[in-house]
Amino acid sequence: MFAEAFSIAFQFADVFAFLILAAAGLAIIFGMMGIINMAHGEFITCGIYVTVIAVQHGVPLPLAQALGAVSAGLVGIALERTIIRHLYHRPLDSILATWGISLMVTQGMLIVLGSSWQGIGTPLGSFKVGDYTFSAYRLVLFGAAVGVLAGLYLIFMRTGYGVMARATMQNAAMAKALGVRTERMYAISFGLGAALAGLCGALYAPTMTLIPTMGITFIIESFVTVVVGGANVLLGTAPAGILLAIVRTALNAWYGQIAGQIGLLITVIIVIRILPEGVSGWLSRRER
Amino acid sequence: MATEPVLEVADLCAAYGRTPVLRGVDMTIAKGEIVSLIGRNGVGKTTTMRCLIGLLPATSGQIVFLGQSITELPADERARLGIGYIPQGRQVFPRMTVEENIAVSLLASPGKDRRLTDLVYQYFPILKQRRRQSAGTLSGGEQQQLAIGRALVGNPRLMLLDEPSEGIQPSIVDMICEVLKSVRDQLGTTILFVEQNLDTILAISERCYVIDKGAVVAEIGRDRLRTPEVVRHHLLI
Ligand SMILES: Nc1ncnc2c1ncn2[C@@H]1O[C@H](COP(=O)(O)OP(=O)(O)OP(=O)(O)O)[C@@H](O)[C@H]1O
Ligand SMILES: [Mg+2]
């Protein structure tokens, strides 16, 4: 009985971690700058490859993962400075541009890196509860997801950057008129979003087989979570993650993986009908 | 009264798209002056202010602030040089607390002088009481005090206020006028404000520019400002 309950909780935690880690970077870039980053999957891929290459060169895994996140962040800042910043007032063009980047990167990687790579294997082994076996690394992933949420809360609520970034998000012209370097806020936010995508890839790198298009694995979950959560990372992403993880875990348990996936999409359709601005839009309207 | 100009505006023109709105605004404001800018609805008062802070580019003309041309500078640089902007409609950050609204401006300023926050709370005690409340839930008068306090913590040498009395009860307007006078007296801040309310204009301005159809058409000096009829006439031209 306990073992079954633990197994369900474990699966919930696993799905929740995947949703949060996959979505956090996308949510920040969308919430801060109103940009739908179609190249989100490529930032994740960047995190994966950097981690794998570093590990294969003898770098310890945690350090390799940090490297993966940081490199994705730096690529993000470079991209923001060169391309994205020209598209702030053109949301449709920013979708096209990031999509174009995504296509070029995926094809480029197929050519340069070849179609498949040796994985690096999941660390930490497994443990048993009752008759069930669990991967210990999945607990690390859950811890990381909670850590990302807590970290984002601290960054946006407790740091100078966070206060100025939220002001920029609410009224960019006014923030600028008060002396806030809004361009820098955007560059940092885009970099942070890209770094979180990279972190997602870095964390999941040991669990997957490597192919250049594997960024796609995360795309559905990340977009679904951001659509359900709405534009506010702090108010929206965590509740969306919980809601979707419940739906998915239940459907997975009773009807299998495919039903879980379909359930996510149906939940999104229902949420958009009832709460067009997502969970965070609804919560912040109630607050007022 | 010192005569060193804080702000010199020469033949300033600006447009929204292809529609010209400002067609030659000229003003000179000395250090420590309190000057009002008056005119009927839609003549370009707000546009002038947005142009001065840099939210709208000038199509031609010059803006010189403390001896330096700022015509080409972006708004955030102008603010950091010492221009505080209090827009029409206040534009506080609604989903941030009073305290955070003030912090935005403090953190963005080059001086980051935290004592200014205490000074603001002295001027506007209600803001201290409500410092944890989100700004969107404040009354209009409280939001106006916040907008002024928020600009003040940036330690501006020049404050631009766009209709500070709009939609606010007379007793609060009086209080705000008193604060603006003490700011000038204690900190030496120069003040330019747009106003349509005759009492407010007469209460604090020492000089007055009249704008019509996007150009400054008259200047009312200290002496003539004592006669309300002159001002009223210009508000109704
Ligand atoms: N964003 C805009 N786009 C196009 N035209 C604008 C815009 N803002 C203002 N205008 C036009 O510019 C002119 C001047 O507007 P402005 O807001 O400066 O007037 P104002 O003197 O401040 O008026 P009020 O007393 O009503 O505040 C008006 O004719 C207005 O319609
Ligand atoms: Mg106006």
Side-chain angles (χ1 to χ4, degrees):
Chain A
M1 187 57 214
F2 172 75
E4 263 159 34
F6 183 84
S7 164
I8 290 173
F10 186 88
Q11 282 167 45
F12 169 83
D14 190 32
V15 175
F16 176 79
F18 190 83
L19 291 168
I20 296 296
L21 291 170
L26 188 68
I28 284 189
I29 290 173
F30 176 59
M32 269 296 298
M33 345 188 24
I35 285 183
I36 299 168
N37 178 21
M38 299 300 285
H40 182 61
E42 280 58 49
F43 286 116
I44 295 179
T45 311
C46 170
I48 298 176
Y49 271 101
V50 170
T51 305
V52 170
I53 292 171
V55 167
Q56 286 171 349
H57 284 77
V59 178
L61 181 64
L63 194 60
Q65 290 173 321
L67 269 178
V70 170
S71 350
L74 292 177
V75 173
I77 290 178
L79 201 63
E80 196 276 343
R81 293 284 77 190
T82 49
I83 299 176
I84 308 289
R85 72 200 207 100
H86 301 294
L87 305 173
Y88 284 137
H89 305 291
R90 293 149 60 187
L92 286 178
D93 293 343
S94 71
I95 292 181
L96 277 182
T98 51
W99 191 22
I101 293 165
S102 153
L103 293 176
M104 287 190 294
V105 172
T106 314
Q107 295 308 314
M109 299 224 312
L110 263 174
I111 296 168
V112 177
L113 298 171
S115 62
S116 105
W117 275 38
Q118 185 79 49
I120 52 179
T122 312
L124 300 180
S126 59
F127 62 95
K128 281 189 94 159
V129 175
D131 294 336
Y132 298 86
T133 314
F134 301 98
S135 155
Y137 188 66
R138 299 275 161 185
L139 292 181
V140 172
L141 293 175
F142 178 68
V146 174
V148 162
L149 289 174
L152 286 179
Y153 179 85
L154 290 178
I155 287 175
F156 281 103
M157 302 307 281
R158 295 277 182 274
T159 69
Y161 154 75
V163 171
M164 290 192 281
R166 279 159 58 220
T168 305
M169 184 159 64
Q170 289 183 29
N171 186 339
M174 192 61 230
K176 200 172 168 68
L178 290 173
V180 175
R181 292 173 161 96
T182 48
E183 277 87 19
R184 191 181 290 181
M185 293 298 122
Y186 286 138
I188 297 175
S189 306
F190 199 86
L192 179 63
L196 285 171
L199 178 69
C200 168
L203 287 167
Y204 282 94
T207 69
M208 36 199 324
T209 358
L210 303 181
I211 46 167
T213 52
M214 66 204 151
I216 307 250
T217 325
F218 299 87
I219 286 297
I220 293 178
E221 276 79 1
S222 58
F223 274 84
V224 162
T225 311
V226 171
V227 168
V228 171
N232 187 318
V233 190
L234 299 181
L235 279 177
T237 308
I242 293 173
L243 173 71
L244 293 169
I246 291 173
V247 170
R248 179 144 206 187
T249 313
L251 290 173
N252 277 354
W254 289 320
Y255 303 107
Q257 293 284 343
I258 304 284
Q261 190 92 350
I262 295 170
L264 279 193
L265 298 175
I266 293 177
T267 312
V268 177
I269 293 167
I270 296 172
V271 169
I272 296 176
R273 288 293 307 174
I274 311 175
L275 312 171
E277 291 168 60
V279 178
S280 68
W282 177 67
L283 283 176
S284 58
R285 210 157 342 102
R286 259 169 41 114
E287 200 180 82
R288 257 171 277 154
Chain B
M1 174 81 32
T3 47
E4 174 201 344
V6 164
L7 182 70
E8 296 170 83
V9 181
D11 200 26
L12 183 67
C13 299
Y16 287 110
R18 293 253 178 81
T19 324
V21 177
L22 299 186
R23 306 151 199 269
V25 172
D26 292 280
M27 302 190 262
T28 304
I29 302 176
K31 182 169 187 308
E33 267 194 304
I34 302 185
V35 177
S36 55
L37 179 63
I38 69 173
R40 291 166 305 130
N41 288 126
V43 294
K45 303 183 297 295
T46 297
T47 308
T48 304
M49 295 305 232
R50 285 170 53 81
C51 230
L52 292 179
I53 186 62
L55 290 177
L56 186 73
T59 45
S60 66
Q62 272 271 347
I63 307 169
V64 176
F65 173 62
L66 295 173
Q68 174 186 359
S69 170
I70 57 168
T71 325
E72 305 293 330
L73 294 184
D76 54 328
E77 271 183 57
R78 297 189 200 190
R80 291 195 303 274
L81 281 175
I83 303 183
Y85 175 58
I86 295 103
Q88 187 166 22
R90 306 172 286 255
Q91 302 203 21
V92 296
F93 302 111
R95 292 182 301 284
M96 295 170 76
T97 63
V98 168
E99 210 166 40
E100 288 173 332
N101 266 269
I102 293 174
V104 171
S105 170
L106 183 72
L107 289 163
S109 72
K112 297 193 184 45
D113 185 351
R114 286 175 192 281
R115 286 169 306 179
L116 288 169
T117 307
D118 298 327
L119 185 69
V120 164
Y121 286 147
Q122 261 173 40
Y123 282 139
F124 303 115
I126 188 79
L127 295 182
K128 184 164 194 180
Q129 261 178 47
R130 314 243 149 169
R131 62 186 186 283
R132 300 272 150 79
Q133 189 171 325
S134 50
T137 63
L138 296 177
S139 75
E142 289 161 355
Q143 290 190 2
Q144 187 65 59
Q145 297 173 53
L146 175 56
I148 296 174
R150 181 175 69 175
L152 268 179
V153 294
N155 196 17
R157 299 332 302 147
L158 169 69
M159 292 224 288
L160 305 173
L161 296 97
D162 197 345
E163 304 213 24
S165 75
E166 193 180 35
I168 294 171
Q169 73 186 56
S171 65
I172 303 283
V173 173
D174 290 347
M175 189 267 277
I176 289 176
C177 287
E178 285 312 308
V179 167
L180 291 177
K181 269 195 263 184
S182 354
V183 165
R184 192 273 307 270
D185 294 342
Q186 294 173 359
L187 308 174
T189 313
T190 308
I191 295 174
L192 173 65
F193 71 108
V194 168
E195 194 47 81
Q196 309 216 43
N197 176 336
L198 187 62
D199 294 332
T200 312
I201 297 166
L202 297 176
I204 56 169
S205 52
E206 298 160 345
R207 207 150 58 83
C208 178
Y209 284 108
V210 182
I211 183 171
D212 191 30
K213 299 201 189 81
V216 167
V217 293
E219 182 188 340
I220 308 175
R222 212 167 245 283
D223 310 329
R224 289 206 303 148
L225 240 151
R226 299 220 181 88
T227 7
E229 282 65 39
V230 174
V231 180
R232 189 173 292 132
H233 165 76
H234 280 295
L235 283 173
L236 299 174
I237 335 173

